[in-house]
Amino acid sequence: MTEAMTNAHKSAGEAVLDIRDLRVSFATAVGTVQAVRGVDVSVAKGETVAIVGESGSGKSQTMMAAMGLLAANGKAEGEALYRGANILGLPTAKLNRIRGAKITMIFQEPMTSLDPLYTIERQLIEPMVEHGGIGRARAKARALELLKLVNIPQPERKLRSFPHELSGGQRQRVMIAMALANDPDVLIADEPTTALDVTTQAQILALIADLQKRLGMAVVFITHDLGIVRQIADRVYVMKDGQVVEQGEAARILTEPKHPYTRMLLDAEPEGRKAPVTGESPILLEGQKVSVAFDLDSGLLKAPIVLKAVDDVSLAVRQGQTLGIVGESGSGKSTLGRALLQLLPHQGRVFFSGNDISNKDRGAMRPLRRQMQLVFQDPYGSLSPRMTVGQIVTEGLLVHEPGLSAAERDRRACAVLEEVSLDPALRNRYPHEFSGGQRQRIAIARTMVLKPKLVVLDEPTSALDRTIQKQIVELLRKLQADHGLTYLFISHDLAVVRALADWVMVMQHGRIVEAGPTPVIFESPVQDYTRELIAAAANNLSG
Amino acid sequence: MARYILGRLLSAIPTLFLIVTISFFLIRIAPGGPFDLERPLEAKVMENLARIYQLDKPLWQQYLLYLKSLASGDFGPSFYFRDFTINELFAEGLPISIQLGSSALVLALIVGGAMGVLAALRQNRPADYSIMAAATIGVTIPNFVVAPLLTLLLGVWLGWLPVGGWNNGAARNMILPIVTLALPQIAVVARLTRGSMIEALRSNHVRTARAYGLSGYSVVVVHALRGALLPVVSYLGPAAAALLTGSVVVETIFGIPGIGRYFVQGALNRDYTLVMGTVVVVAVFVIVFNLIVDLVYALLDPRVRYD
């Protein structure tokens, strides 16, 4: 270590965690992949530092490496100083005295980060007994205290619950409780709100900020969401391709970004608004009092418990219109989309181009399927991994235009891939060779090849980074303009809905809370729930 | 829970009925009969035998008679072992087969499980490769090769263990047959455990356990292994049913009076009642062990509930 570096370290002596020249590489079948290339990150007592970047930027791996949590094929070099002592590469037994006690972590996936086989109490107690040297009885009392601290309703009962009995937001609160159990110096939060609904996101963020103020620990917040940075961070590191491209005070980075990548991130909000269609445009899809009920827990002798996933919803969509259906998970928005497409049995009536299609069987629906298509949220799970992109895109043609020659199908595959801005030369490759955004383009191409009238888009941008989202929004807008498409756009992401929809419907518990033209809903919402949703998403919208 | 078990047992009755019906007619369609010898018996003798064993009645009547006696727990007389009923044969042989099979099962679970966990923890390192190589060998070498080799080595050359015989279940006599029975099972259990363990070690909740500085035992056994055992348990159900009902090869080579040999003998001799008896016993074991697997699932995983 050079003298200059030592001095620099002394001047920044208050740093609790100081990562220096960290490099992370993974040995893969195709050779060594450099995930992190010499990163310096430090955080002082009581400070909140955000590490921002898109997926693959190495932001998570930086902290995973520091905590000794890299996958088996990962290798870390450099230094991670906790109170001046390097913890990188410590033997597990020594490292275990620090992680879980002095430095704790919460993860992106609240649904899977807790062990499904043990009660909340048992999982909360484990690290306390391991590190604190306190007995089970005291640990139990502390566990209850912690659940109260993180505002979990019915904390006594929740202690005896298993993770699957809790909602995503509650599980993340349990994780936070676990992180605080041993009074840590540093809390590392790896995208802790990404998998949660907007209103829950806001609550979790407020909780972390509040606990930090009261307990005075340092927080490292890993996120792709600049709205969160604005809300809670003191300092920001912007990462791209395994390197820090810009760092500084949060206020300065957000207002005067220097690096072009930071500027691009800040500029990544979907833009533009959809022009409303006129009243003369014919109604393409109409639903009258549509309800979908699921029987839960039906037994031979007891009356089934009925869950009304969609409850008496009526709607009408005109040709060329985009209806945004907004709501949090469990609000019934996806179920409604599926019922309208006759993919789920429902009550009430549905008309497509003026014809009653309510509960038509598969055979009767088949000729209509071509005109009504569906794009899913998960671009990784919805494309068959064993088919080439060309096969995936043209599979629908085999059903709807069986007479086409192979050469003609191939020609159409090229045309449609070009239309979604993918190189047709790539049509012989398999889905795993494409990025998330490219896969979503493939999924869109698969529907467009059939020249549909109506496309139901079920959270098509939710799994994508903001910059990619923006591109997909632009693609969808262009396709709509070129082909006069009608969209049913289902999303919890208000920013995207605002950019794409000319009519918005807000759903909660299977019912319509409020509906109206997009500008009206966003600028002067009438219902409390709509206001709450918009307020919670405000950080994203003002970006 | 009790209601669930009762329901499952009741639903086993139609299953058993189907199995019994299909096997009854299948074995009767097969050419030849229990009294066909190289030198045919006199017509008069055949007639008498047929009358005694009720083979002279129309097939559907025989079928109903068999169902009736089966319902009262009577498997009927053996056609081949002239002085024995099937119940007597099973009462003698089944406990022996169960004793051998269950010992082999426990051995397979412990040794195979430990090997699988070790291989998973040392994934793609020498320990992993050697365990998996041993497991592959264990699966590929048939037991009629393993048994004589073990006998030759431990029984003949070293003289440590008896080469065969049951000797009223003396421990020394049981070691070789148990090991022979267990070897392929150890291999399968090791492979299964390794696979599910590797997946479990990569799961998010095990990452949480590591991130919270829990001890190696807690990470590996408490948080990874319990979940990783689920696929092993699913395999062990049917495997247990097969093991406990005996093995033809092992019982023949080591001269053990279990019921495994009846599978082949019954079929070759057209001993109708013996074939039917073994079919019913195996079917009952399979049904019972599948039920046990489902109950163990509920025990291991709180998300599985049967009430």
Side-chain angles (χ1 to χ4, degrees):
Chain A
M1 191 186 294
T2 65
E3 202 174 322
M5 276 178 79
T6 319
N7 289 338
H9 172 52
K10 272 180 191 153
S11 64
E14 56 190 329
V16 205
L17 185 65
D18 191 1
I19 292 169
R20 294 169 173 202
D21 192 27
L22 184 77
R23 279 154 288 135
V24 178
S25 58
F26 291 95
T28 69
V30 289
T32 307
V33 176
Q34 288 285 337
V36 179
R37 307 151 186 266
V39 161
D40 299 276
V41 172
S42 79
V43 58
K45 190 169 182 294
E47 186 187 34
T48 300
V49 159
I51 306 180
V52 184
E54 306 203 290
S55 45
S57 63
K59 58 189 193 301
S60 285
Q61 294 308 331
T62 302
M63 297 322 287
M64 290 289 176
M67 293 286 276
L69 293 174
L70 288 180
N73 61 339
K75 197 174 131 205
E77 292 164 295
E79 284 183 309
L81 304 170
Y82 166 71
R83 295 191 178 281
N86 189 14
I87 58 168
L88 202 69
L90 272 188
T92 312
K94 282 194 177 156
L95 186 58
N96 277 351
R97 276 180 230 150
I98 303 213
R99 55 180 186 184
K102 300 298 174 197
I103 308 177
T104 56
M105 248 185 131
I106 47 180
F107 300 97
Q108 177 174 0
E109 307 86 353
M111 307 314 272
T112 53
S113 291
L114 292 165
D115 193 329
L117 308 182
Y118 298 97
T119 60
I120 300 301
E121 181 178 53
R122 162 129 202 216
Q123 298 188 56
L124 275 176
I125 287 175
E126 254 189 310
M128 286 191 254
V129 175
E130 185 83 31
H131 299 288
I134 59 173
R136 295 217 153 242
R138 271 190 54 204
K140 278 185 186 179
R142 172 100 171 114
L144 184 61
E145 229 172 78
L146 286 163
L147 285 195
K148 286 179 183 160
L149 184 71
V150 296
N151 301 324
I152 284 196
Q154 298 177 289
E156 288 91 352
R157 233 193 75 201
K158 290 293 174 342
L159 277 178
R160 293 191 303 275
S161 303
F162 289 95
H164 69 274
E165 295 165 324
L166 271 59
S167 69
Q170 287 174 341
R171 291 186 215 190
Q172 202 58 296
R173 283 170 195 272
V174 169
M175 281 302 297
I176 294 172
M178 202 161 146
L180 298 177
N182 289 316
D183 297 319
D185 291 339
V186 185
L187 172 67
I188 300 168
D190 186 358
E191 303 255 13
T193 59
T194 307
L196 304 172
D197 281 325
V198 273
T199 50
T200 320
Q201 272 185 18
Q203 290 165 8
I204 295 285
L205 280 179
L207 176 69
I208 293 176
D210 173 55
L211 290 169
Q212 185 195 19
K213 215 173 283 167
R214 281 157 62 185
L215 307 173
M217 69 230 166
V219 174
V220 179
F221 211 103
I222 302 166
T223 183
H224 67 276
D225 189 339
L226 287 159
I228 291 174
V229 175
R230 181 175 299 118
Q231 224 180 339
I232 67 163
D234 300 321
R235 278 190 309 120
V236 182
Y237 294 87
V238 181
M239 278 188 74
K240 180 182 194 278
D241 298 331
Q243 282 174 319
V244 173
V245 294
E246 186 167 6
Q247 58 168 303
E249 299 294 315
R252 204 271 300 157
I253 297 252
L254 290 166
T255 49
E256 313 159 37
K258 291 209 176 79
H259 197 276
Y261 181 70
T262 318
R263 277 204 289 278
M264 195 188 84
L265 277 182
L266 280 168
D267 192 34
E269 294 295 331
E271 284 166 347
R273 299 286 179 257
K274 163 102 167 59
V277 297
T278 59
E280 287 123 48
S281 177
I283 289 177
L284 182 68
L285 180 76
E286 188 179 359
Q288 291 176 355
K289 294 180 176 303
V290 176
S291 294
V292 180
F294 295 113
D295 286 357
L296 299 178
D297 203 21
S298 58
L300 211 59
L301 298 168
K302 56 187 168 189
I305 299 164
V306 176
L307 172 78
K308 281 223 158 183
V310 176
D311 196 358
D312 210 20
V313 169
S314 297
L315 56 86
V317 193
R318 293 183 183 278
Q319 182 102 48
Q321 204 175 25
T322 299
L323 171 64
I325 304 178
V326 174
E328 299 189 276
S329 49
S331 62
K333 55 191 192 303
S334 290
T335 309
L336 173 63
R338 263 147 234 226
L340 291 171
L341 289 187
Q342 307 306 314
L343 294 169
L344 277 176
H346 63 87
Q347 287 158 328
R349 299 175 68 183
V350 178
F351 298 87
F352 183 75
S353 298
N355 302 315
D356 191 346
I357 57 167
S358 319
N359 292 320
K360 271 196 178 186
D361 63 29
R362 288 171 58 160
M365 280 305 294
R366 189 161 296 136
L368 289 171
R369 286 272 172 243
R370 171 165 201 176
Q371 297 173 36
M372 38 172 74
Q373 288 291 312
L374 185 59
V375 175
F376 300 95
Q377 169 174 3
D378 177 11
Y380 294 90
S382 56
L383 303 177
S384 169
R386 305 201 206 299
M387 287 167 78
T388 65
V389 167
Q391 287 170 333
I392 289 172
V393 165
T394 54
E395 195 183 12
L397 289 174
L398 293 176
V399 177
H400 294 289
E401 283 186 61
L404 282 186
S405 68
E408 173 61 16
R409 273 204 309 276
D410 195 49
R411 202 191 58 73
R412 293 210 193 168
C414 293
V416 80
L417 286 174
E418 218 153 287
E419 193 163 15
V420 299
S421 312
L422 282 176
D423 183 358
L426 302 176
R427 67 187 183 284
N428 293 322
R429 302 219 181 152
Y430 289 88
H432 70 264
E433 299 173 67
F434 294 86
S435 69
Q438 287 175 318
R439 286 184 214 210
Q440 208 56 299
R441 285 176 193 271
I442 295 166
I444 292 168
R446 164 165 72 177
T447 70
M448 292 310 301
V449 78
L450 297 173
K451 311 226 173 295
K453 286 184 178 160
L454 171 73
V455 181
V456 175
L457 300 146
D458 192 350
E459 304 260 12
T461 58
S462 301
L464 306 173
D465 281 327
R466 271 279 180 219
T467 49
I468 311 293
Q469 275 185 8
K470 192 175 174 181
Q471 295 165 8
I472 296 289
V473 164
E474 272 152 23
L475 171 67
L476 289 172
R477 190 177 283 146
K478 183 189 92 144
L479 292 171
Q480 182 167 44
D482 290 354
H483 300 280
L485 292 172
T486 306
Y487 287 149
L488 220 59
F489 192 88
I490 300 167
S491 183
H492 70 272
D493 186 339
L494 296 177
V496 179
V497 171
R498 191 175 197 180
L500 268 181
D502 51 353
W503 194 270
V504 176
M505 204 169 98
V506 181
M507 282 185 78
Q508 188 190 21
H509 305 318
R511 292 175 163 272
I512 300 178
V513 175
E514 190 167 359
T518 307
V520 176
I521 293 287
F522 278 88
E523 279 145 39
S524 43
V526 179
Q527 297 296 323
D528 287 344
Y529 180 68
T530 314
R531 287 205 197 105
E532 207 181 305
L533 271 184
I534 291 172
N539 294 302
N540 296 344
L541 286 177
S542 60
Chain B
M1 184 68 102
R3 245 177 78 176
Y4 172 77
I5 297 174
L6 190 71
R8 283 282 298 266
L9 290 177
L10 284 177
S11 74
I13 293 174
T15 313
L16 271 178
F17 172 77
L18 266 179
I19 292 170
V20 167
T21 305
I22 292 169
S23 338
F24 184 90
F25 289 104
L26 268 184
I27 184 76
R28 294 309 178 102
I29 291 168
F35 308 117
D36 294 339
L37 302 176
E38 243 171 272
R39 204 161 51 105
L41 293 169
E42 278 176 49
K44 187 72 192 162
V45 178
M46 279 297 270
E47 221 170 88
N48 284 336
L49 279 169
R51 200 173 54 249
I52 293 166
Y53 288 99
Q54 298 177 324
L55 291 175
D56 54 342
K57 295 192 169 132
L59 196 56
W60 64 270
Q61 260 187 29
Q62 293 182 39
Y63 170 66
L64 291 180
L65 281 169
Y66 183 73
L67 281 187
K68 202 179 140 201
S69 75
L70 196 61
S72 65
D74 182 4
F75 288 110
S78 170
F79 287 54
Y80 184 78
F81 302 100
R82 294 293 152 78
D83 296 325
F84 294 89
T85 65
I86 302 299
N87 292 54
E88 284 166 349
L89 290 175
F90 283 171
E92 214 175 279
L94 193 56
I96 294 172
S97 290
I98 290 178
Q99 206 181 341
L100 276 184
S102 53
S103 313
L105 198 67
V106 172
L107 187 69
L109 186 59
I110 294 171
V111 178
M115 281 167 65
V117 170
L118 190 69
L121 289 174
R122 300 267 179 281
Q123 196 195 348
N124 296 337
R125 278 188 263 168
D128 179 23
Y129 292 136
S130 35
I131 287 172
M132 282 307 105
T136 309
I137 292 169
V139 174
T140 41
I141 300 186
N143 48 7
F144 54 78
V145 176
V146 171
L149 283 178
L150 285 176
T151 315
L152 192 65
L153 180 70
L154 296 169
V156 180
W157 290 346
L158 296 172
W160 292 350
L161 295 166
V163 294
W166 180 237
N167 195 13
N168 286 323
R172 283 163 49 79
N173 287 62
M174 281 168 69
I175 293 173
L176 284 181
I178 288 173
V179 170
T180 310
L181 268 178
L183 277 178
Q185 304 299 334
I186 289 175
V188 178
V189 169
R191 296 193 78 95
L192 276 175
T193 311
R194 175 184 181 269
S196 57
M197 201 57 195
I198 285 173
E199 206 174 301
L201 287 171
R202 280 189 199 145
S203 69
N204 286 333
H205 68 264
V206 169
R207 180 185 63 190
T208 305
R210 281 196 215 280
Y212 279 81
L214 302 185
S215 66
Y217 171 82
S218 181
V219 172
V220 173
V221 178
V222 177
H223 290 287
L225 184 60
R226 184 165 157 190
L229 277 181
L230 290 172
V232 181
V233 168
S234 323
Y235 166 77
L236 279 185
L243 274 177
L244 298 193
T245 47
S247 149
V248 191
V249 175
V250 171
E251 288 179 9
T252 308
I253 290 178
F254 292 103
I256 290 165
I259 65 162
R261 57 215 161 106
Y262 295 151
F263 287 86
V264 178
Q265 283 176 1
L268 291 181
N269 297 327
R270 296 287 182 276
D271 192 342
Y272 295 146
T273 45
L274 186 57
V275 169
M276 291 306 295
T278 48
V279 166
V280 170
V281 166
V282 172
V284 167
F285 268 85
V286 170
I287 289 169
V288 167
F289 274 96
N290 276 322
L291 175 59
I292 291 176
V293 164
D294 289 343
L295 296 179
V296 171
Y297 249 81
L299 213 68
L300 283 175
D301 190 340
R303 287 167 297 183
V304 180
R305 285 268 174 276
Y306 297 123
D307 41 36

